[in-house]
Amino acid sequence: MAKRFYVTTPIYYVSDVPHLGHAYTTIVADALARYHRLRGDDTRFLTGTDDHGQKIARLAEAASVSPRAFADKFADAYRAAWRALEISNDDFIRTTDPDHEATVQDLWRRMAEKGDIYLGDYEGWYCVPCEQFYTEKELEKGHCPVHKKPVEKVKEQSYYFRLSKYQEPLLAYYAAHPELIQPEVRRNEVMAFVRGGLQDISISRTTFQWGVPVPEAKGHVVYVWLDALTNYYSATRRPALAGFWDDDVEIVHLIGKEISRFHAVYWPAFLMSAGLRLPTTVFCHGWWTVDGEKMSKTLGNVVDPLVLSQDLGVDAFRYFILREVPLGADGDFSHEALLTRYNAELANDLGNLLNRTLGMVHKYGIVPKSNIDPFDLENRVSRYSKHMEELQPSRALEELWTLVRKGNAFIDEKAPWKPDAPRPQILGDVLELCRVLSHLLEPFLPERAVEMRRQLGLDEPAHFPSWQSRTFAPTVATPLFPRIDDDRKKELLAKWTPKREAPPASDEDQITFEQFQKLDLRVGQVLSAEPVPKAKKLLQLTIDIGTAKRQVVAGIAETYRPEELVGKKVIFLANLKPATIRGVRSEGMILAAGDEQVVALSGLDRDAAPGTKVR
Ligand code: MSP
């Protein structure tokens, strides 16, 4: 029975370009939406950006641009990335969209009319990266438990939401709707949190202005999470999603596990207060690490989904992240594993099945007949559907790969190349299998599934397969996923995982304090400077080092003119063994920044007399 299905991703902060983690949620949501369309369900899929809040305001300020210009730039980056990854969202919402802002204010008014909002004074802790208030008890040694960074003290007038009032209604709702929070571990976590007691929460800020104005309350902007969560509902007041907050719609919010409290406690409470229905399911997926480490800019291991998709094809990337971990579990991303799965499962298993089948049809030139029995197709397909309904795309893919492997084994076993083999039957069966697969794979491999149907000569769009065999005219096969050979593999790995910065010095590279003390470093003042004849890069300097005058040759002529240098104070190494450079004696060295070429001379941030020791 066709139904109405509505799936969402979190709306992403416009603080940077999307990475593997953001692409993951969005691709899973996309696969679910495509699956439901395939079934003929009336489907809507929403994603977008979270433009407001203190985090974005500060980043914009640091970049010396307006928050709007800052948000626009990254919202565009998200839009472009989703286009490149074949994401089929029906709308893209931004919290700065005027109609969304109006809905946030509407919701606020409804909650206020219910008597759930009151004015108070807030004093507590705030983590800007989380955009979250913390109680003293929740902090870990004064640090945010998520970011492990110091939190900020907030003391301001603030509106509160009576969350405490919803403790019992929420618990009753969770008990009656076990499907609301998934998977089980998150449901237990959230329920334990609510049972532990709910405090009223602050829902407005006054110390910055980048947000939705609180209705009739000058100076207050709506707390960014109340603003952001409302997006799921406000989008359904637009033409593209109209009516998708109605009671009959299956609404699935797909999120990362770190934001379960906002989605499974605050959001349902806000909705109850406003008299609106709740989502059907909040599904919390796990987190990706990269080669066992947390993904971070500092570590330089952030995975860019666009680079991988360009090099390997969008569908290969989609396939890997959908297949590698069951939805809900944490996963570890490795570029090696990506290539291994590519060769084994895409190039070999699936690619070969289609290739061999079409090759034989072409060679034997026969009109195939099919009875599709040998693969237990009907059964497998209903299991595939069940997994998708249960939000388990990795299991649905496993089901399909069982079929793919059965197809290859069937060809090996039946050996249609033998003169006495019943070719029309055998080829008919595998051809039918390829046809069905070209439909069922569409949610995962939207681009290659179209190519499969093209090669099979099917002019039908993807839909849930019917069992009547259809006539189709296969064309000559070209590899769906060309194999990656060892050379190419090396090349790709070198490109994707560039060498990290040198690790911290090993014991042998370290020097002791005593060794350091052997350096006679002092303040030196340049008394004179002149070019060294026939040496473009060199200057000859006389340096006053307090107790003596020294002559040195320095490779700084391309960065400094002699007259700029006279009078400058620099750091001078006085006990360097003298040397003769281009015929000029050099007795020491001035310290400077730069590797091949000097960028800047060392200096002092306050005055100090020539000869002062530097340590
Ligand atoms: N703006 C809020 C969400 C508001 S929704 C009403 C936000 N944005 S975010 O840009 O930080 O995106 C967080 C989401 O990105 C996570 O919930 C998850 O979907 C995804 N991921 C970010 N890093 C991730 C991993 N390393 N692994 C998997 N997904 C993660 O929070």
Short mmCIF file of all heavy atoms in Angstrom, two decimals, residues 9-13 19 21-22 24-25 50 55 78 225 228-229 231-232 255-259 263 285-289 295, ligand 1:
data_model
loop_
_atom_site.label_atom_id
_atom_site.label_comp_id
_atom_site.label_asym_id
_atom_site.label_seq_id
_atom_site.Cartn_x
_atom_site.Cartn_y
_atom_site.Cartn_z
N THR A 9 17.24 15.36 6.97
CA THR A 9 18.58 15.32 7.56
C THR A 9 18.64 16.46 8.57
O THR A 9 17.79 17.35 8.52
CB THR A 9 19.69 15.59 6.52
OG1 THR A 9 19.65 16.99 6.17
CG2 THR A 9 19.54 14.73 5.28
N PRO A 10 19.64 16.48 9.47
CA PRO A 10 19.82 17.70 10.27
C PRO A 10 20.10 18.83 9.29
O PRO A 10 20.59 18.59 8.18
CB PRO A 10 21.07 17.41 11.10
CG PRO A 10 21.30 15.94 11.02
CD PRO A 10 20.72 15.49 9.73
N ILE A 11 19.80 20.04 9.69
CA ILE A 11 20.26 21.15 8.84
C ILE A 11 21.66 21.50 9.34
O ILE A 11 21.89 21.63 10.53
CB ILE A 11 19.28 22.34 8.83
CG1 ILE A 11 18.86 22.72 10.24
CG2 ILE A 11 18.06 22.01 7.96
CD1 ILE A 11 18.09 24.03 10.30
N TYR A 12 22.57 21.61 8.40
CA TYR A 12 23.99 21.69 8.78
C TYR A 12 24.42 23.12 9.06
O TYR A 12 23.97 24.05 8.39
CB TYR A 12 24.84 21.07 7.66
CG TYR A 12 24.43 19.64 7.38
CD1 TYR A 12 23.71 19.30 6.24
CD2 TYR A 12 24.73 18.62 8.29
CE1 TYR A 12 23.31 17.99 6.01
CE2 TYR A 12 24.35 17.32 8.07
CZ TYR A 12 23.63 17.00 6.92
OH TYR A 12 23.24 15.71 6.71
N TYR A 13 25.32 23.27 10.02
CA TYR A 13 25.87 24.59 10.31
C TYR A 13 26.66 25.07 9.10
O TYR A 13 27.42 24.29 8.50
CB TYR A 13 26.83 24.53 11.50
CG TYR A 13 26.13 24.37 12.83
CD1 TYR A 13 26.48 23.33 13.69
CD2 TYR A 13 25.14 25.25 13.23
CE1 TYR A 13 25.86 23.17 14.92
CE2 TYR A 13 24.51 25.10 14.46
CZ TYR A 13 24.87 24.06 15.29
OH TYR A 13 24.25 23.90 16.50
N HIS A 19 31.75 17.49 4.96
CA HIS A 19 32.73 16.40 4.93
C HIS A 19 32.00 15.06 4.95
O HIS A 19 30.76 15.01 4.88
CB HIS A 19 33.74 16.55 6.06
CG HIS A 19 33.16 16.54 7.45
ND1 HIS A 19 32.33 15.54 7.89
CD2 HIS A 19 33.28 17.41 8.48
CE1 HIS A 19 31.98 15.77 9.13
NE2 HIS A 19 32.53 16.92 9.52
N GLY A 21 31.08 13.03 7.22
CA GLY A 21 29.99 12.86 8.19
C GLY A 21 28.68 13.45 7.68
O GLY A 21 27.63 12.83 7.76
N HIS A 22 28.76 14.66 7.14
CA HIS A 22 27.55 15.30 6.62
C HIS A 22 27.04 14.54 5.40
O HIS A 22 25.84 14.36 5.21
CB HIS A 22 27.83 16.75 6.23
CG HIS A 22 28.51 17.54 7.30
ND1 HIS A 22 29.76 18.09 7.15
CD2 HIS A 22 28.13 17.83 8.57
CE1 HIS A 22 30.11 18.70 8.26
NE2 HIS A 22 29.15 18.55 9.15
N TYR A 24 27.36 11.47 4.79
CA TYR A 24 26.80 10.18 5.21
C TYR A 24 25.30 10.31 5.50
O TYR A 24 24.48 9.61 4.90
CB TYR A 24 27.54 9.69 6.46
CG TYR A 24 27.04 8.39 7.00
CD1 TYR A 24 26.94 7.26 6.18
CD2 TYR A 24 26.64 8.26 8.33
CE1 TYR A 24 26.48 6.05 6.68
CE2 TYR A 24 26.19 7.06 8.84
CZ TYR A 24 26.11 5.95 8.01
OH TYR A 24 25.65 4.77 8.49
N THR A 25 24.95 11.19 6.43
CA THR A 25 23.53 11.35 6.78
C THR A 25 22.71 11.65 5.52
O THR A 25 21.61 11.12 5.33
CB THR A 25 23.34 12.54 7.75
OG1 THR A 25 24.41 12.55 8.67
CG2 THR A 25 22.02 12.44 8.47
N ASP A 50 21.66 25.45 8.77
CA ASP A 50 21.39 26.11 10.05
C ASP A 50 22.26 27.37 10.05
O ASP A 50 23.46 27.30 10.31
CB ASP A 50 21.82 25.13 11.16
CG ASP A 50 21.34 25.53 12.53
OD1 ASP A 50 20.86 26.66 12.68
OD2 ASP A 50 21.45 24.69 13.45
N LYS A 55 27.84 30.83 17.03
CA LYS A 55 28.99 30.25 16.34
C LYS A 55 29.20 30.91 14.98
O LYS A 55 30.31 31.34 14.65
CB LYS A 55 28.75 28.74 16.18
CG LYS A 55 29.69 28.10 15.20
CD LYS A 55 29.89 26.63 15.35
CE LYS A 55 28.70 25.72 15.26
NZ LYS A 55 29.09 24.35 15.62
N TYR A 78 27.16 23.61 0.33
CA TYR A 78 26.34 22.42 0.62
C TYR A 78 25.46 22.09 -0.58
O TYR A 78 25.37 20.93 -1.00
CB TYR A 78 25.48 22.66 1.87
CG TYR A 78 26.19 22.22 3.13
CD1 TYR A 78 26.94 23.12 3.88
CD2 TYR A 78 26.13 20.90 3.55
CE1 TYR A 78 27.60 22.70 5.03
CE2 TYR A 78 26.80 20.48 4.69
CZ TYR A 78 27.53 21.38 5.42
OH TYR A 78 28.20 20.96 6.54
N TRP A 225 18.72 26.43 18.62
CA TRP A 225 18.19 25.08 18.44
C TRP A 225 16.66 25.07 18.27
O TRP A 225 16.12 24.24 17.54
CB TRP A 225 18.61 24.16 19.58
CG TRP A 225 19.92 23.47 19.27
CD1 TRP A 225 21.16 23.83 19.70
CD2 TRP A 225 20.10 22.32 18.44
NE1 TRP A 225 22.10 22.97 19.19
CE2 TRP A 225 21.49 22.04 18.41
CE3 TRP A 225 19.24 21.51 17.70
CZ2 TRP A 225 22.03 20.97 17.68
CZ3 TRP A 225 19.78 20.44 16.98
CH2 TRP A 225 21.15 20.19 16.97
N ALA A 228 16.30 26.09 14.73
CA ALA A 228 16.71 25.06 13.77
C ALA A 228 15.74 23.89 13.71
O ALA A 228 15.36 23.43 12.63
CB ALA A 228 18.11 24.56 14.13
N LEU A 229 15.32 23.41 14.88
CA LEU A 229 14.42 22.24 14.89
C LEU A 229 13.12 22.53 14.15
O LEU A 229 12.55 21.64 13.50
CB LEU A 229 14.13 21.82 16.34
CG LEU A 229 15.31 21.16 17.06
CD1 LEU A 229 15.14 21.22 18.57
CD2 LEU A 229 15.48 19.70 16.59
N ASN A 231 12.68 23.86 11.49
CA ASN A 231 12.77 23.75 10.02
C ASN A 231 11.96 22.59 9.47
O ASN A 231 11.35 22.68 8.41
CB ASN A 231 14.23 23.64 9.59
CG ASN A 231 14.70 22.19 9.48
OD1 ASN A 231 14.55 21.53 8.45
ND2 ASN A 231 15.26 21.67 10.57
N TYR A 232 11.95 21.47 10.23
CA TYR A 232 11.28 20.27 9.73
C TYR A 232 9.79 20.53 9.50
O TYR A 232 9.19 19.99 8.59
CB TYR A 232 11.43 19.13 10.74
CG TYR A 232 12.86 18.78 11.09
CD1 TYR A 232 13.27 18.68 12.42
CD2 TYR A 232 13.80 18.53 10.09
CE1 TYR A 232 14.57 18.35 12.76
CE2 TYR A 232 15.11 18.19 10.43
CZ TYR A 232 15.49 18.11 11.76
OH TYR A 232 16.78 17.77 12.09
N ILE A 255 19.46 11.55 12.12
CA ILE A 255 20.43 12.45 12.77
C ILE A 255 21.64 11.67 13.26
O ILE A 255 21.59 10.44 13.36
CB ILE A 255 19.81 13.18 13.99
CG1 ILE A 255 19.32 12.15 15.03
CG2 ILE A 255 18.66 14.09 13.58
CD1 ILE A 255 19.06 12.75 16.40
N GLY A 256 22.69 12.39 13.60
CA GLY A 256 23.83 11.77 14.26
C GLY A 256 23.51 11.63 15.75
O GLY A 256 22.77 12.43 16.30
N LYS A 257 24.12 10.65 16.38
CA LYS A 257 23.75 10.34 17.77
C LYS A 257 24.01 11.48 18.75
O LYS A 257 23.40 11.54 19.81
CB LYS A 257 24.48 9.08 18.23
CG LYS A 257 26.00 9.24 18.26
CD LYS A 257 26.68 7.95 18.69
CE LYS A 257 28.19 8.14 18.71
NZ LYS A 257 28.92 6.93 19.06
N GLU A 258 24.93 12.41 18.38
CA GLU A 258 25.29 13.46 19.34
C GLU A 258 24.17 14.49 19.52
O GLU A 258 24.24 15.30 20.44
CB GLU A 258 26.60 14.14 18.89
CG GLU A 258 26.48 15.23 17.83
CD GLU A 258 26.12 14.73 16.43
OE1 GLU A 258 25.91 13.52 16.25
OE2 GLU A 258 26.03 15.58 15.52
N ILE A 259 23.18 14.48 18.64
CA ILE A 259 22.13 15.50 18.78
C ILE A 259 20.78 14.85 19.10
O ILE A 259 19.73 15.39 18.77
CB ILE A 259 22.07 16.45 17.56
CG1 ILE A 259 21.97 15.68 16.23
CG2 ILE A 259 23.29 17.35 17.54
CD1 ILE A 259 21.86 16.60 15.00
N HIS A 263 16.60 16.31 19.48
CA HIS A 263 15.55 15.77 18.60
C HIS A 263 14.54 14.89 19.32
O HIS A 263 13.40 14.77 18.88
CB HIS A 263 16.19 14.98 17.45
CG HIS A 263 16.76 15.86 16.40
ND1 HIS A 263 17.98 16.46 16.52
CD2 HIS A 263 16.25 16.26 15.20
CE1 HIS A 263 18.22 17.19 15.45
NE2 HIS A 263 17.19 17.09 14.63
N HIS A 285 22.11 7.81 13.97
CA HIS A 285 23.18 6.96 13.45
C HIS A 285 24.49 7.23 14.19
O HIS A 285 24.60 8.19 14.95
CB HIS A 285 23.34 7.11 11.94
CG HIS A 285 23.82 8.46 11.50
ND1 HIS A 285 25.08 8.93 11.79
CD2 HIS A 285 23.23 9.44 10.79
CE1 HIS A 285 25.23 10.13 11.27
NE2 HIS A 285 24.11 10.48 10.67
N GLY A 286 25.47 6.38 13.93
CA GLY A 286 26.74 6.48 14.64
C GLY A 286 27.69 7.46 13.98
O GLY A 286 27.33 8.17 13.04
N TRP A 287 28.91 7.47 14.47
CA TRP A 287 29.92 8.42 13.97
C TRP A 287 31.03 7.70 13.22
O TRP A 287 31.44 6.61 13.60
CB TRP A 287 30.50 9.22 15.14
CG TRP A 287 29.72 10.48 15.27
CD1 TRP A 287 28.35 10.60 15.33
CD2 TRP A 287 30.25 11.80 15.28
NE1 TRP A 287 28.02 11.92 15.39
CE2 TRP A 287 29.15 12.68 15.37
CE3 TRP A 287 31.54 12.33 15.24
CZ2 TRP A 287 29.30 14.07 15.41
CZ3 TRP A 287 31.69 13.71 15.29
CH2 TRP A 287 30.58 14.56 15.37
N TRP A 288 31.52 8.35 12.19
CA TRP A 288 32.67 7.84 11.46
C TRP A 288 33.96 8.35 12.07
O TRP A 288 34.07 9.54 12.35
CB TRP A 288 32.64 8.34 10.00
CG TRP A 288 31.63 7.67 9.14
CD1 TRP A 288 30.39 8.15 8.83
CD2 TRP A 288 31.78 6.43 8.44
NE1 TRP A 288 29.76 7.26 8.00
CE2 TRP A 288 30.58 6.21 7.73
CE3 TRP A 288 32.80 5.49 8.35
CZ2 TRP A 288 30.38 5.08 6.95
CZ3 TRP A 288 32.60 4.37 7.56
CH2 TRP A 288 31.40 4.17 6.87
N THR A 289 34.91 7.44 12.23
CA THR A 289 36.27 7.88 12.47
C THR A 289 37.03 7.60 11.17
O THR A 289 36.50 6.97 10.26
CB THR A 289 36.92 7.05 13.60
OG1 THR A 289 36.65 5.66 13.34
CG2 THR A 289 36.33 7.42 14.94
N MET A 295 37.85 12.41 13.14
CA MET A 295 38.12 13.24 11.97
C MET A 295 38.28 14.68 12.44
O MET A 295 37.41 15.20 13.13
CB MET A 295 36.95 13.10 11.01
CG MET A 295 37.21 13.62 9.64
SD MET A 295 36.02 13.01 8.41
CE MET A 295 34.48 13.26 9.19
N1 MSP B 1 22.98 22.48 13.00
C1 MSP B 1 22.95 21.31 13.84
C2 MSP B 1 21.77 20.44 13.50
C3 MSP B 1 20.43 21.12 13.59
S1 MSP B 1 19.15 20.05 13.11
C4 MSP B 1 17.76 20.83 13.62
C5 MSP B 1 24.23 20.51 13.61
N2 MSP B 1 24.89 20.72 12.47
S2 MSP B 1 26.28 20.05 12.03
O1 MSP B 1 26.70 20.76 10.86
O2 MSP B 1 27.18 20.02 13.12
O3 MSP B 1 25.94 18.62 11.57
C6 MSP B 1 25.86 17.58 12.47
C7 MSP B 1 25.50 16.32 11.73
O4 MSP B 1 26.50 15.98 10.78
C8 MSP B 1 25.42 15.12 12.63
O5 MSP B 1 24.19 14.99 13.28
C9 MSP B 1 25.63 14.01 11.65
O6 MSP B 1 24.45 13.86 10.94
C10 MSP B 1 26.70 14.59 10.75
N3 MSP B 1 28.07 14.29 11.18
C11 MSP B 1 29.08 15.20 11.43
N4 MSP B 1 30.23 14.53 11.68
C12 MSP B 1 30.01 13.21 11.65
C13 MSP B 1 30.83 12.04 11.69
N5 MSP B 1 32.14 12.09 11.95
N6 MSP B 1 30.25 10.85 11.42
C14 MSP B 1 28.93 10.75 11.07
N7 MSP B 1 28.16 11.81 11.01
C15 MSP B 1 28.56 13.02 11.56
O7 MSP B 1 24.57 19.71 14.46
#
